[in-house]
Amino acid sequence: MNELPGHLAAFSVQQHYDRYTPINQAVWRYVMRQNHHFLGQHAHEAYVEGLRSSGIGVESIPRTEVMHASLGRFGWGAVNVDGFIPPAAFMEFQAHGILPIAADMRTLDHISYTPAPDIIHEAAGHAPILFDAGFSAFVKRLAAIGAKAMGTEADQELYEAIRRLSIVKEDPAATPAEVAEAEADFLRKQAAITETSAAGLVSRFYWWTVEYGLIGSLAAPKIYGAGLLSSVGESKRALTDQVKKIPFSLEGVLNTSYDITTYQPQLFVCESFDQLLEAAEELETYLSKRPEGVAEATGQPAVTPRPAGPAKEPTTPVVSEAHQRDLQELYRRVRALREDATSEPLEGGLREVWRQLDAQYPADWLLRLEMLELASERKVLVSEQGRLWEQLKALETDAEKTELIEEGLALI
């Protein structure tokens, strides 16, 4: 089991598991059910076994101490950190075989993706493929290179702009003006970078492999990148003709820029993790001979931000604390009904939750989806399931929500 180096301890935080709400748990469960269904067939073969071996389940947000112990069996550990941490520290954690995991959980409004680091991306995205020894060796080697790679003052300013933008976008109380200001600051800082530092080159390599990598054949690649593994929607898109597939090469990834605010138009497909390890060794040799600060002008970040998905303003209205607390209680009751049949009569309990949903939360789709799943599985509310289904279909008011609801209905 890996020990946390002393100088990195300042970035460690407690998970405070009891602060995860019933809605947080429902969001985790929805995403992980989708992941198992789709990624079990389309991810690298280490994915499913890696989830189990990493201490990650479908029903509940994982406890980091359990993940730490589980990852220790194949040369890794885990520690919670507070959202974005400096890129060099992020790399150094991994160089030591320690996976830094953001303790935060994405909101329901950002269930498809999160503009800030969260436990779905860090745990369910990064951890499973570490089960593969070849990939594990590659990540440690690349991280060791990245921890030593020099950045610039402009790199640091861009990192801070990305961090601020992510925080603002995840805040449901943020105004459109605050989001627009943070986006404009990010674009200014990005445009100010006129040359790619050593840290920037490592960032590109990391982005196109650890975050957004595909493996196998160009015609039928498998997914291993954490950015894809933590977003089923983008995973599905990545495997279509909408995204160009390019054979992996060191030159290719170092010369290909990326945009953190939108879907990737192309992805690199490696033949094996051994190929990535060899390329990392080539990169280290190249950087050792390269005069620092001499590179083509690109305007690309020399940091390694977690993928944020397409730009999107908050859409969840700010509601009263009492109103939100009552909704959390309804989610808690349905979870209890699913986990403990003795908590209260199932049919009566579901009917009462449904009545309160209709009266107070007519726009909530996720809890209705959980109720329909439970009613169908336990064969209750048989004559009324059709009405629940109709309510869900009526909530398909935009493309994103339609996709989320349809994907949920497909698993019932």
Side-chain angles (χ1 to χ4, degrees):
M1 185 180 297
N2 298 34
E3 296 297 328
L4 182 65
H7 64 282
L8 294 177
F11 298 107
S12 175
V13 299
Q14 294 296 314
Q15 187 177 24
H16 297 298
Y17 194 88
D18 60 342
R19 295 182 185 175
Y20 294 125
T21 68
I23 294 180
N24 289 156
Q25 295 286 2
V27 168
W28 170 273
R29 184 174 183 273
Y30 174 90
V31 173
M32 293 307 296
R33 275 169 52 79
Q34 293 295 325
N35 282 359
H36 261 266
H37 177 69
F38 181 77
L39 296 174
Q41 304 173 54
H42 298 286
H44 182 270
E45 59 188 13
Y47 175 76
V48 174
E49 180 57 33
L51 279 177
R52 288 193 292 265
S53 299
S54 302
I56 300 172
V58 171
E59 295 296 322
S60 301
I61 297 169
R63 294 181 181 273
T64 306
E65 65 266 26
V66 173
M67 287 193 64
H68 182 71
S70 299
L71 288 168
R73 292 195 288 270
F74 47 100
W76 282 78
V79 64
N80 280 121
V81 295
D82 185 13
F84 276 107
I85 61 176
F90 179 72
M91 289 289 190
E92 191 174 357
F93 270 112
Q94 294 177 89
H96 284 283
I98 298 172
L99 184 64
I101 299 175
D104 295 334
M105 179 66 193
R106 67 187 62 182
T107 63
L108 177 55
D109 192 45
H110 288 130
I111 192 170
S112 297
Y113 74 93
T114 176
D118 87 320
I119 196 167
I120 291 180
H121 175 74
E122 310 287 20
H126 280 286
I129 311 301
L130 293 174
F131 181 73
D132 183 276
F135 182 71
S136 173
F138 159 66
V139 172
K140 287 181 180 178
R141 186 62 177 272
L142 180 59
I145 297 168
K148 296 182 292 184
M150 296 297 293
T152 65
E153 185 177 343
D155 295 339
Q156 180 61 30
E157 290 179 357
L158 178 60
Y159 160 74
E160 293 295 342
I162 291 171
R163 180 175 179 274
R164 178 175 174 240
L165 176 59
S166 298
I167 291 171
V168 169
K169 283 195 169 190
E170 182 64 13
D171 182 1
T175 66
E178 288 171 330
V179 173
E181 180 186 352
E183 287 177 336
D185 183 56
F186 160 71
L187 292 173
R188 283 194 300 270
K189 296 302 192 321
Q190 186 179 50
I193 296 181
T194 57
E195 57 186 25
T196 307
S197 65
L201 294 177
V202 175
S203 176
R204 287 184 178 184
F205 194 150
Y206 193 95
W207 181 270
W208 293 121
T209 57
V210 180
E211 291 290 1
Y212 276 96
L214 299 176
I215 188 169
S217 69
L218 291 178
K222 297 286 188 177
I223 297 166
Y224 73 88
L228 298 173
L229 293 176
S230 58
S231 173
V232 171
E234 191 159 9
S235 291
K236 290 180 177 179
R237 183 181 183 279
L239 298 181
T240 69
D241 292 338
Q242 290 178 275
V243 179
K244 183 179 181 180
K245 314 302 188 300
I246 304 172
F248 171 86
S249 70
L250 178 60
E251 181 181 12
V253 298
L254 296 187
N255 287 306
T256 303
S257 60
Y258 61 85
D259 184 346
I260 70 167
T261 66
T262 190
Y263 291 124
Q264 308 308 306
Q266 75 279 306
L267 296 172
F268 291 88
V269 184
C270 69
E271 297 172 359
S272 68
F273 293 139
D274 288 341
Q275 183 188 21
L276 298 184
L277 182 57
E278 291 172 5
E281 293 167 351
E282 291 176 23
L283 175 63
E284 185 172 32
T285 300
Y286 169 69
L287 293 179
S288 70
K289 298 176 180 178
R290 176 178 178 268
E292 193 49 50
V294 179
E296 76 281 10
T298 62
Q300 284 305 307
V303 296
T304 308
R306 286 29 152 239
K312 173 183 174 182
E313 293 183 359
T315 57
T316 300
V318 178
V319 297
S320 72
E321 211 173 292
H323 192 72
Q324 181 69 8
R325 187 170 58 246
D326 290 346
L327 180 59
Q328 296 282 6
E329 173 59 18
L330 295 182
Y331 271 84
R332 187 203 65 76
R333 286 180 63 184
V334 171
R335 185 176 181 87
L337 288 168
R338 184 173 61 250
E339 294 178 346
D340 181 6
T342 65
S343 62
E344 61 179 300
L346 178 59
E347 188 157 349
L350 285 176
R351 188 172 281 112
E352 176 57 23
V353 169
W354 192 0
R355 183 191 67 76
Q356 292 184 54
L357 271 180
D358 283 350
Q360 296 177 268
Y361 310 96
D364 186 281
W365 63 270
L366 182 55
L367 189 55
R368 284 181 173 81
L369 186 65
E370 288 205 345
M371 291 170 59
L372 180 59
E373 175 201 339
L374 184 56
S376 177
E377 177 187 315
R378 305 288 175 85
K379 296 181 173 53
V380 298
L381 300 177
V382 177
S383 63
E384 298 162 273
Q385 288 178 29
R387 187 159 64 89
L388 257 179
W389 189 287
E390 290 171 1
Q391 285 187 343
L392 283 164
K393 298 293 288 186
L395 291 173
E396 295 179 352
T397 53
D398 57 55
E400 181 185 16
K401 195 171 291 184
T402 297
E403 183 176 9
L404 289 167
I405 293 172
E406 288 300 317
E407 287 177 345
L409 291 173
L411 297 187
I412 295 177

